[in-house]
Amino acid sequence: MKLTLFYLIYMKFKATYDGNHDTFRIEFLVVPVAGLAFLVNHDFSPLEILWTFSIYLESVAILPQLFMISKTGEAETITTHYLFFLGLYRALYLFNWIWRFCFEGFFDLIAIVAGVVQTVLYCDFFYLYVTKGEFSALRALAFIPFFFYFFFFFFLSINDGLSPSHLVPSTDGMV
């Protein structure tokens, strides 16, 4: 899988890389994130530091792409749609955190702070996406059923007290 990815990046699609505009210094992301993961983690063990590093790096991994878009002032349509839906995916994580906190009592400060940072970074892109005309009313209408059913299930389950434990069959013979 990794070899295929390297082949696609460095061989097949090498012509799509724009080295003139890609001037973002990646070490300005990796070094501070590594230092932060080393200093702020749940447990000072190698595996925990690596997990924390991945969470922190994921939260700022969009910065090179946003830097390139802001520098050139344009991006391919497929790229903008991909970034929009990637940001939407991260924004929907907010509901996951709310759900887990309300029904499981789970609260992971590292993941929440990193996710909020990432969502805030995507907000800049969302603003550009909507104001540059990539977001049309017809595309917005296509998502109304999805959001209706998602919010309907989410709020219905909160109001009825439905939690994941209610979805698991009882083992004591009682319904």
Side-chain angles (χ1 to χ4, degrees), residues 5-57:
L5 182 63
F6 282 118
Y7 166 76
L8 291 173
I9 291 172
Y10 294 110
M11 302 288 228
K12 186 169 184 175
F13 295 110
K14 185 177 183 177
T16 64
Y17 174 69
D18 186 5
N20 294 330
H21 290 111
D22 186 14
T23 59
F24 192 87
R25 307 264 317 259
I26 201 72
E27 59 270 10
F28 289 145
L29 285 184
V30 175
V31 172
V33 165
L36 187 61
F38 190 75
L39 296 173
V40 181
N41 52 57
H42 293 301
D43 181 32
F44 197 73
S45 66
L47 191 59
E48 184 66 28
I49 291 171
L50 289 173
W51 175 82
T52 307
F53 174 75
S54 73
I55 295 294
Y56 292 154
L57 187 60

CSV table of all heavy atoms in Angstrom, one decimal, residues 5-57:
chain,number,residue,atom,x,y,z
A,5,LEU,N,1.4,4.2,-3.0
A,5,LEU,CA,1.3,5.6,-2.7
A,5,LEU,C,2.5,6.3,-3.2
A,5,LEU,O,2.4,7.4,-3.9
A,5,LEU,CB,1.0,5.8,-1.2
A,5,LEU,CG,0.8,7.3,-0.8
A,5,LEU,CD1,-0.4,7.8,-1.5
A,5,LEU,CD2,0.7,7.4,0.7
A,6,PHE,N,3.7,5.8,-2.8
A,6,PHE,CA,4.9,6.5,-3.3
A,6,PHE,C,5.1,6.5,-4.8
A,6,PHE,O,5.5,7.4,-5.4
A,6,PHE,CB,6.2,5.8,-2.6
A,6,PHE,CG,6.4,6.3,-1.2
A,6,PHE,CD1,6.4,5.4,-0.2
A,6,PHE,CD2,6.6,7.6,-0.9
A,6,PHE,CE1,6.5,5.8,1.1
A,6,PHE,CE2,6.8,8.0,0.4
A,6,PHE,CZ,6.8,7.1,1.4
A,7,TYR,N,4.7,5.4,-5.4
A,7,TYR,CA,4.7,5.3,-6.9
A,7,TYR,C,3.8,6.3,-7.5
A,7,TYR,O,4.2,7.0,-8.4
A,7,TYR,CB,4.3,3.9,-7.3
A,7,TYR,CG,4.0,3.8,-8.8
A,7,TYR,CD1,5.0,3.8,-9.8
A,7,TYR,CD2,2.7,3.8,-9.3
A,7,TYR,CE1,4.7,3.8,-11.1
A,7,TYR,CE2,2.4,3.8,-10.6
A,7,TYR,CZ,3.4,3.8,-11.5
A,7,TYR,OH,3.1,3.8,-12.9
A,8,LEU,N,2.6,6.5,-7.0
A,8,LEU,CA,1.6,7.4,-7.5
A,8,LEU,C,2.1,8.9,-7.3
A,8,LEU,O,2.0,9.7,-8.3
A,8,LEU,CB,0.2,7.3,-6.9
A,8,LEU,CG,-0.5,6.0,-7.2
A,8,LEU,CD1,-1.8,5.8,-6.4
A,8,LEU,CD2,-0.8,5.9,-8.7
A,9,ILE,N,2.7,9.2,-6.2
A,9,ILE,CA,3.1,10.5,-5.9
A,9,ILE,C,4.4,10.9,-6.7
A,9,ILE,O,4.4,11.9,-7.4
A,9,ILE,CB,3.4,10.7,-4.4
A,9,ILE,CG1,2.1,10.7,-3.6
A,9,ILE,CG2,4.1,12.0,-4.2
A,9,ILE,CD1,2.3,10.7,-2.1
A,10,TYR,N,5.4,10.0,-6.7
A,10,TYR,CA,6.7,10.4,-7.3
A,10,TYR,C,6.9,9.9,-8.7
A,10,TYR,O,7.8,10.3,-9.4
A,10,TYR,CB,7.8,9.8,-6.4
A,10,TYR,CG,7.8,10.5,-5.1
A,10,TYR,CD1,7.5,9.8,-3.9
A,10,TYR,CD2,8.2,11.8,-5.0
A,10,TYR,CE1,7.5,10.4,-2.7
A,10,TYR,CE2,8.2,12.5,-3.8
A,10,TYR,CZ,7.9,11.8,-2.6
A,10,TYR,OH,7.9,12.4,-1.4
A,11,MET,N,6.0,9.1,-9.3
A,11,MET,CA,6.1,8.6,-10.6
A,11,MET,C,4.9,9.1,-11.5
A,11,MET,O,5.1,9.9,-12.4
A,11,MET,CB,6.3,7.1,-10.7
A,11,MET,CG,7.4,6.6,-9.9
A,11,MET,SD,9.0,6.9,-10.6
A,11,MET,CE,9.7,5.4,-10.5
A,12,LYS,N,3.8,8.5,-11.2
A,12,LYS,CA,2.7,8.7,-12.1
A,12,LYS,C,2.1,10.1,-12.1
A,12,LYS,O,1.9,10.7,-13.2
A,12,LYS,CB,1.5,7.7,-11.7
A,12,LYS,CG,0.4,7.8,-12.7
A,12,LYS,CD,-0.6,6.6,-12.5
A,12,LYS,CE,-1.7,6.7,-13.5
A,12,LYS,NZ,-2.6,5.6,-13.5
A,13,PHE,N,2.0,10.7,-11.0
A,13,PHE,CA,1.5,12.1,-10.9
A,13,PHE,C,2.5,13.1,-10.6
A,13,PHE,O,2.2,14.2,-10.1
A,13,PHE,CB,0.3,12.1,-9.9
A,13,PHE,CG,-0.8,11.3,-10.3
A,13,PHE,CD1,-1.1,10.1,-9.5
A,13,PHE,CD2,-1.7,11.6,-11.3
A,13,PHE,CE1,-2.2,9.3,-9.9
A,13,PHE,CE2,-2.7,10.8,-11.7
A,13,PHE,CZ,-3.0,9.7,-11.0
A,14,LYS,N,3.7,12.9,-10.9
A,14,LYS,CA,4.8,13.8,-10.6
A,14,LYS,C,4.6,15.1,-11.3
A,14,LYS,O,5.0,16.2,-10.8
A,14,LYS,CB,6.2,13.2,-11.0
A,14,LYS,CG,7.4,14.0,-10.6
A,14,LYS,CD,8.7,13.3,-11.0
A,14,LYS,CE,9.8,14.2,-10.5
A,14,LYS,NZ,11.1,13.6,-10.8
A,15,ALA,N,4.0,15.1,-12.5
A,15,ALA,CA,3.8,16.3,-13.3
A,15,ALA,C,2.8,17.3,-12.6
A,15,ALA,O,2.8,18.5,-12.9
A,15,ALA,CB,3.4,16.0,-14.7
A,16,THR,N,2.0,16.8,-11.7
A,16,THR,CA,1.0,17.6,-11.0
A,16,THR,C,1.6,18.4,-9.9
A,16,THR,O,0.9,19.3,-9.3
A,16,THR,CB,-0.2,16.8,-10.5
A,16,THR,OG1,0.3,15.9,-9.5
A,16,THR,CG2,-0.8,16.0,-11.7
A,17,TYR,N,2.8,18.1,-9.5
A,17,TYR,CA,3.4,18.8,-8.3
A,17,TYR,C,3.9,20.2,-8.8
A,17,TYR,O,4.6,20.3,-9.8
A,17,TYR,CB,4.6,18.0,-7.8
A,17,TYR,CG,5.3,18.7,-6.7
A,17,TYR,CD1,4.8,19.0,-5.5
A,17,TYR,CD2,6.6,19.1,-6.9
A,17,TYR,CE1,5.5,19.6,-4.5
A,17,TYR,CE2,7.4,19.8,-5.9
A,17,TYR,CZ,6.8,20.0,-4.7
A,17,TYR,OH,7.5,20.7,-3.7
A,18,ASP,N,3.6,21.2,-8.1
A,18,ASP,CA,4.0,22.6,-8.4
A,18,ASP,C,5.1,23.0,-7.4
A,18,ASP,O,4.7,23.6,-6.4
A,18,ASP,CB,2.8,23.5,-8.4
A,18,ASP,CG,3.1,24.9,-8.9
A,18,ASP,OD1,4.2,25.1,-9.3
A,18,ASP,OD2,2.2,25.8,-8.8
A,19,GLY,N,6.3,22.8,-7.7
A,19,GLY,CA,7.4,23.1,-6.8
A,19,GLY,C,7.6,24.6,-6.6
A,19,GLY,O,8.2,25.0,-5.6
A,20,ASN,N,7.2,25.4,-7.6
A,20,ASN,CA,7.4,26.8,-7.6
A,20,ASN,C,6.6,27.4,-6.5
A,20,ASN,O,6.9,28.4,-5.8
A,20,ASN,CB,7.1,27.5,-8.9
A,20,ASN,CG,8.1,27.1,-10.0
A,20,ASN,OD1,9.2,26.8,-9.7
A,20,ASN,ND2,7.6,27.0,-11.2
A,21,HIS,N,5.4,26.9,-6.2
A,21,HIS,CA,4.5,27.5,-5.2
A,21,HIS,C,4.5,26.7,-3.9
A,21,HIS,O,4.0,27.2,-2.9
A,21,HIS,CB,3.0,27.5,-5.7
A,21,HIS,CG,2.8,28.5,-6.8
A,21,HIS,ND1,2.6,28.1,-8.1
A,21,HIS,CD2,2.9,29.8,-6.8
A,21,HIS,CE1,2.5,29.2,-8.9
A,21,HIS,NE2,2.6,30.2,-8.1
A,22,ASP,N,5.1,25.5,-3.9
A,22,ASP,CA,5.2,24.7,-2.7
A,22,ASP,C,6.4,25.2,-1.9
A,22,ASP,O,7.4,24.5,-1.9
A,22,ASP,CB,5.2,23.3,-3.0
A,22,ASP,CG,5.1,22.4,-1.7
A,22,ASP,OD1,4.8,22.9,-0.7
A,22,ASP,OD2,5.4,21.2,-1.8
A,23,THR,N,6.3,26.2,-1.1
A,23,THR,CA,7.4,26.7,-0.4
A,23,THR,C,7.2,26.6,1.1
A,23,THR,O,8.0,27.2,1.9
A,23,THR,CB,7.6,28.2,-0.7
A,23,THR,OG1,6.5,29.0,-0.4
A,23,THR,CG2,8.0,28.4,-2.2
A,24,PHE,N,6.2,25.9,1.5
A,24,PHE,CA,5.9,25.7,3.0
A,24,PHE,C,7.0,24.8,3.6
A,24,PHE,O,7.4,23.8,3.1
A,24,PHE,CB,4.5,25.0,3.2
A,24,PHE,CG,4.1,25.0,4.6
A,24,PHE,CD1,3.4,26.1,5.0
A,24,PHE,CD2,4.3,24.0,5.4
A,24,PHE,CE1,2.9,26.2,6.3
A,24,PHE,CE2,3.9,24.0,6.7
A,24,PHE,CZ,3.2,25.1,7.2
A,25,ARG,N,7.5,25.3,4.7
A,25,ARG,CA,8.6,24.6,5.4
A,25,ARG,C,8.0,23.6,6.4
A,25,ARG,O,7.5,24.0,7.4
A,25,ARG,CB,9.5,25.6,6.1
A,25,ARG,CG,10.1,26.7,5.2
A,25,ARG,CD,11.5,26.4,4.7
A,25,ARG,NE,12.4,25.8,5.6
A,25,ARG,CZ,13.4,26.5,6.2
A,25,ARG,NH1,13.5,27.8,6.0
A,25,ARG,NH2,14.2,25.9,7.0
A,26,ILE,N,8.0,22.3,6.0
A,26,ILE,CA,7.3,21.3,6.8
A,26,ILE,C,7.9,21.1,8.2
A,26,ILE,O,7.2,20.7,9.1
A,26,ILE,CB,7.3,20.0,6.0
A,26,ILE,CG1,6.2,19.1,6.5
A,26,ILE,CG2,8.6,19.3,6.0
A,26,ILE,CD1,4.8,19.5,6.1
A,27,GLU,N,9.2,21.5,8.3
A,27,GLU,CA,9.8,21.3,9.6
A,27,GLU,C,9.2,22.3,10.6
A,27,GLU,O,9.3,22.0,11.8
A,27,GLU,CB,11.3,21.5,9.5
A,27,GLU,CG,11.8,22.8,9.0
A,27,GLU,CD,12.0,22.8,7.5
A,27,GLU,OE1,11.6,21.8,6.8
A,27,GLU,OE2,12.6,23.8,7.0
A,28,PHE,N,8.6,23.4,10.1
A,28,PHE,CA,7.9,24.3,11.1
A,28,PHE,C,6.6,23.6,11.6
A,28,PHE,O,6.1,24.2,12.6
A,28,PHE,CB,7.6,25.6,10.4
A,28,PHE,CG,8.8,26.4,10.1
A,28,PHE,CD1,8.8,27.2,8.9
A,28,PHE,CD2,9.9,26.5,10.9
A,28,PHE,CE1,9.9,28.0,8.7
A,28,PHE,CE2,11.0,27.3,10.7
A,28,PHE,CZ,11.0,28.0,9.6
A,29,LEU,N,6.2,22.6,11.1
A,29,LEU,CA,5.1,21.8,11.7
A,29,LEU,C,5.6,20.6,12.5
A,29,LEU,O,5.1,20.4,13.6
A,29,LEU,CB,4.2,21.3,10.6
A,29,LEU,CG,3.2,22.2,9.9
A,29,LEU,CD1,2.4,21.5,8.9
A,29,LEU,CD2,2.4,23.0,10.8
A,30,VAL,N,6.5,19.9,11.9
A,30,VAL,CA,6.9,18.6,12.5
A,30,VAL,C,7.6,18.8,13.9
A,30,VAL,O,7.3,18.1,14.9
A,30,VAL,CB,7.7,17.8,11.5
A,30,VAL,CG1,8.2,16.5,12.2
A,30,VAL,CG2,6.9,17.4,10.3
A,31,VAL,N,8.5,19.7,13.9
A,31,VAL,CA,9.4,19.9,15.1
A,31,VAL,C,8.5,20.4,16.3
A,31,VAL,O,8.6,19.9,17.4
A,31,VAL,CB,10.6,20.9,14.8
A,31,VAL,CG1,11.3,21.2,16.1
A,31,VAL,CG2,11.5,20.2,13.8
A,32,PRO,N,7.7,21.5,16.1
A,32,PRO,CA,6.9,21.9,17.3
A,32,PRO,C,5.9,20.8,17.7
A,32,PRO,O,5.6,20.7,18.9
A,32,PRO,CB,6.1,23.2,16.8
A,32,PRO,CG,6.9,23.7,15.6
A,32,PRO,CD,7.6,22.5,15.0
A,33,VAL,N,5.3,20.1,16.7
A,33,VAL,CA,4.3,19.1,17.1
A,33,VAL,C,5.0,17.9,17.8
A,33,VAL,O,4.5,17.4,18.8
A,33,VAL,CB,3.6,18.5,15.8
A,33,VAL,CG1,2.9,17.2,16.0
A,33,VAL,CG2,2.7,19.6,15.3
A,34,ALA,N,6.2,17.6,17.4
A,34,ALA,CA,7.0,16.5,18.1
A,34,ALA,C,7.3,17.0,19.5
A,34,ALA,O,7.2,16.2,20.5
A,34,ALA,CB,8.3,16.2,17.4
A,35,GLY,N,7.7,18.2,19.7
A,35,GLY,CA,8.0,18.8,21.0
A,35,GLY,C,6.8,18.8,21.9
A,35,GLY,O,6.8,18.4,23.1
A,36,LEU,N,5.7,19.2,21.3
A,36,LEU,CA,4.4,19.3,22.1
A,36,LEU,C,4.0,17.9,22.5
A,36,LEU,O,3.5,17.6,23.6
A,36,LEU,CB,3.3,20.0,21.3
A,36,LEU,CG,2.0,20.2,22.0
A,36,LEU,CD1,2.2,21.1,23.2
A,36,LEU,CD2,1.0,20.8,21.0
A,37,ALA,N,4.1,16.9,21.6
A,37,ALA,CA,3.7,15.5,21.9
A,37,ALA,C,4.6,14.9,23.0
A,37,ALA,O,4.2,14.2,23.8
A,37,ALA,CB,3.8,14.6,20.7
A,38,PHE,N,5.9,15.3,23.0
A,38,PHE,CA,6.8,14.9,24.0
A,38,PHE,C,6.5,15.5,25.4
A,38,PHE,O,6.6,14.8,26.4
A,38,PHE,CB,8.2,15.3,23.6
A,38,PHE,CG,9.3,14.7,24.4
A,38,PHE,CD1,9.6,13.3,24.3
A,38,PHE,CD2,10.0,15.4,25.4
A,38,PHE,CE1,10.6,12.7,25.1
A,38,PHE,CE2,11.0,14.8,26.1
A,38,PHE,CZ,11.3,13.5,26.0
A,39,LEU,N,6.0,16.7,25.4
A,39,LEU,CA,5.7,17.4,26.7
A,39,LEU,C,4.3,17.2,27.2
A,39,LEU,O,4.1,17.1,28.4
A,39,LEU,CB,6.0,18.9,26.5
A,39,LEU,CG,7.4,19.4,26.2
A,39,LEU,CD1,7.5,20.8,25.9
A,39,LEU,CD2,8.3,19.0,27.4
A,40,VAL,N,3.3,17.2,26.3
A,40,VAL,CA,1.9,17.1,26.7
A,40,VAL,C,1.3,15.8,26.1
A,40,VAL,O,1.0,15.7,24.9
A,40,VAL,CB,1.1,18.3,26.2
A,40,VAL,CG1,-0.4,18.2,26.6
A,40,VAL,CG2,1.7,19.6,26.6
A,41,ASN,N,1.2,14.8,27.0
A,41,ASN,CA,0.6,13.5,26.6
A,41,ASN,C,0.0,12.9,27.8
A,41,ASN,O,0.1,13.4,28.9
A,41,ASN,CB,1.7,12.6,26.0
A,41,ASN,CG,2.9,12.4,26.9
A,41,ASN,OD1,2.8,12.1,28.0
A,41,ASN,ND2,4.1,12.8,26.4
A,42,HIS,N,-0.7,11.8,27.6
A,42,HIS,CA,-1.4,11.1,28.7
A,42,HIS,C,-0.4,10.3,29.6
A,42,HIS,O,-0.6,10.2,30.8
A,42,HIS,CB,-2.5,10.2,28.2
A,42,HIS,CG,-3.6,10.9,27.6
A,42,HIS,ND1,-4.4,11.9,28.3
A,42,HIS,CD2,-4.2,10.9,26.3
A,42,HIS,CE1,-5.3,12.4,27.5
A,42,HIS,NE2,-5.2,11.8,26.3
A,43,ASP,N,0.5,9.6,28.9
A,43,ASP,CA,1.4,8.7,29.6
A,43,ASP,C,2.8,8.8,28.9
A,43,ASP,O,2.8,8.7,27.7
A,43,ASP,CB,0.9,7.3,29.6
A,43,ASP,CG,1.8,6.3,30.3
A,43,ASP,OD1,2.4,6.7,31.3
A,43,ASP,OD2,1.8,5.1,29.9
A,44,PHE,N,3.8,9.0,29.7
A,44,PHE,CA,5.1,9.2,29.1
A,44,PHE,C,5.7,7.9,28.7
A,44,PHE,O,6.6,7.3,29.3
A,44,PHE,CB,6.0,10.0,30.0
A,44,PHE,CG,7.2,10.5,29.4
A,44,PHE,CD1,7.1,11.6,28.5
A,44,PHE,CD2,8.5,9.9,29.5
A,44,PHE,CE1,8.2,12.2,27.9
A,44,PHE,CE2,9.6,10.5,28.9
A,44,PHE,CZ,9.5,11.6,28.1
A,45,SER,N,5.1,7.3,27.6
A,45,SER,CA,5.6,6.0,27.0
A,45,SER,C,5.8,6.2,25.5
A,45,SER,O,5.1,7.1,24.9
A,45,SER,CB,4.7,4.9,27.3
A,45,SER,OG,3.5,5.1,26.6
A,46,PRO,N,6.7,5.5,24.9
A,46,PRO,CA,6.9,5.7,23.5
A,46,PRO,C,5.6,5.6,22.6
A,46,PRO,O,5.4,6.4,21.7
A,46,PRO,CB,7.9,4.6,23.1
A,46,PRO,CG,8.6,4.3,24.3
A,46,PRO,CD,7.6,4.5,25.4
A,47,LEU,N,4.8,4.6,22.9
A,47,LEU,CA,3.6,4.4,22.1
A,47,LEU,C,2.6,5.6,22.3
A,47,LEU,O,2.0,6.1,21.3
A,47,LEU,CB,2.9,3.1,22.4
A,47,LEU,CG,1.8,2.7,21.5
A,47,LEU,CD1,2.3,2.6,20.1
A,47,LEU,CD2,1.2,1.4,22.0
A,48,GLU,N,2.5,6.1,23.5
A,48,GLU,CA,1.6,7.2,23.8
A,48,GLU,C,2.1,8.5,23.2
A,48,GLU,O,1.4,9.3,22.7
A,48,GLU,CB,1.5,7.4,25.3
A,48,GLU,CG,0.5,8.4,25.7
A,48,GLU,CD,-0.9,8.1,25.4
A,48,GLU,OE1,-1.3,7.0,25.3
A,48,GLU,OE2,-1.7,9.1,25.2
A,49,ILE,N,3.4,8.7,23.2
A,49,ILE,CA,4.0,9.9,22.6
A,49,ILE,C,3.8,9.9,21.1
A,49,ILE,O,3.4,10.9,20.5
A,49,ILE,CB,5.5,10.0,23.0
A,49,ILE,CG1,5.7,10.3,24.4
A,49,ILE,CG2,6.2,11.1,22.1
A,49,ILE,CD1,7.1,10.2,25.0
A,50,LEU,N,3.9,8.7,20.5
A,50,LEU,CA,3.7,8.6,19.0
A,50,LEU,C,2.2,8.8,18.7
A,50,LEU,O,1.9,9.4,17.7
A,50,LEU,CB,4.2,7.2,18.5
A,50,LEU,CG,5.7,7.0,18.5
A,50,LEU,CD1,6.0,5.5,18.1
A,50,LEU,CD2,6.3,7.9,17.5
A,51,TRP,N,1.3,8.3,19.5
A,51,TRP,CA,-0.1,8.5,19.3
A,51,TRP,C,-0.4,10.0,19.4
A,51,TRP,O,-1.1,10.5,18.6
A,51,TRP,CB,-1.0,7.7,20.3
A,51,TRP,CG,-2.4,8.0,20.2
A,51,TRP,CD1,-3.3,7.4,19.3
A,51,TRP,CD2,-3.2,8.9,20.9
A,51,TRP,NE1,-4.5,8.0,19.4
A,51,TRP,CE2,-4.5,8.9,20.5
A,51,TRP,CE3,-2.9,9.8,22.0
A,51,TRP,CZ2,-5.5,9.7,21.0
A,51,TRP,CZ3,-3.9,10.6,22.5
A,51,TRP,CH2,-5.2,10.5,22.0
A,52,THR,N,0.1,10.6,20.5
A,52,THR,CA,-0.1,12.0,20.7
A,52,THR,C,0.4,12.9,19.5
A,52,THR,O,-0.2,13.8,19.0
A,52,THR,CB,0.4,12.5,22.0
A,52,THR,OG1,-0.1,11.7,23.0
A,52,THR,CG2,0.1,13.9,22.3
A,53,PHE,N,1.6,12.5,19.0
A,53,PHE,CA,2.2,13.1,17.9
A,53,PHE,C,1.3,13.0,16.7
A,53,PHE,O,1.1,14.0,16.0
A,53,PHE,CB,3.6,12.5,17.6
A,53,PHE,CG,4.2,13.0,16.3
A,53,PHE,CD1,4.8,14.3,16.3
A,53,PHE,CD2,4.3,12.2,15.2
A,53,PHE,CE1,5.4,14.8,15.1
A,53,PHE,CE2,4.9,12.7,14.1
A,53,PHE,CZ,5.4,14.0,14.0
A,54,SER,N,0.7,11.9,16.4
A,54,SER,CA,-0.1,11.7,15.3
A,54,SER,C,-1.4,12.6,15.4
A,54,SER,O,-1.9,13.1,14.4
A,54,SER,CB,-0.5,10.2,15.1
A,54,SER,OG,-1.4,9.8,16.0
A,55,ILE,N,-1.9,12.7,16.6
A,55,ILE,CA,-3.1,13.5,16.8
A,55,ILE,C,-2.8,15.0,16.6
A,55,ILE,O,-3.5,15.7,15.9
A,55,ILE,CB,-3.7,13.3,18.2
A,55,ILE,CG1,-4.2,11.9,18.4
A,55,ILE,CG2,-4.8,14.3,18.6
A,55,ILE,CD1,-5.4,11.5,17.6
A,56,TYR,N,-1.7,15.4,17.1
A,56,TYR,CA,-1.3,16.8,16.9
A,56,TYR,C,-1.0,17.1,15.5
A,56,TYR,O,-1.3,18.2,14.9
A,56,TYR,CB,-0.1,17.2,17.8
A,56,TYR,CG,-0.4,17.2,19.3
A,56,TYR,CD1,0.6,17.0,20.2
A,56,TYR,CD2,-1.7,17.5,19.8
A,56,TYR,CE1,0.4,17.0,21.6
A,56,TYR,CE2,-1.9,17.5,21.2
A,56,TYR,CZ,-0.9,17.3,22.1
A,56,TYR,OH,-1.1,17.3,23.4
A,57,LEU,N,-0.2,16.2,14.8
A,57,LEU,CA,0.1,16.4,13.4
A,57,LEU,C,-1.1,16.4,12.5
A,57,LEU,O,-1.2,17.2,11.6
A,57,LEU,CB,1.1,15.4,13.0
A,57,LEU,CG,1.7,15.6,11.6
A,57,LEU,CD1,2.5,16.9,11.6
A,57,LEU,CD2,2.7,14.4,11.3
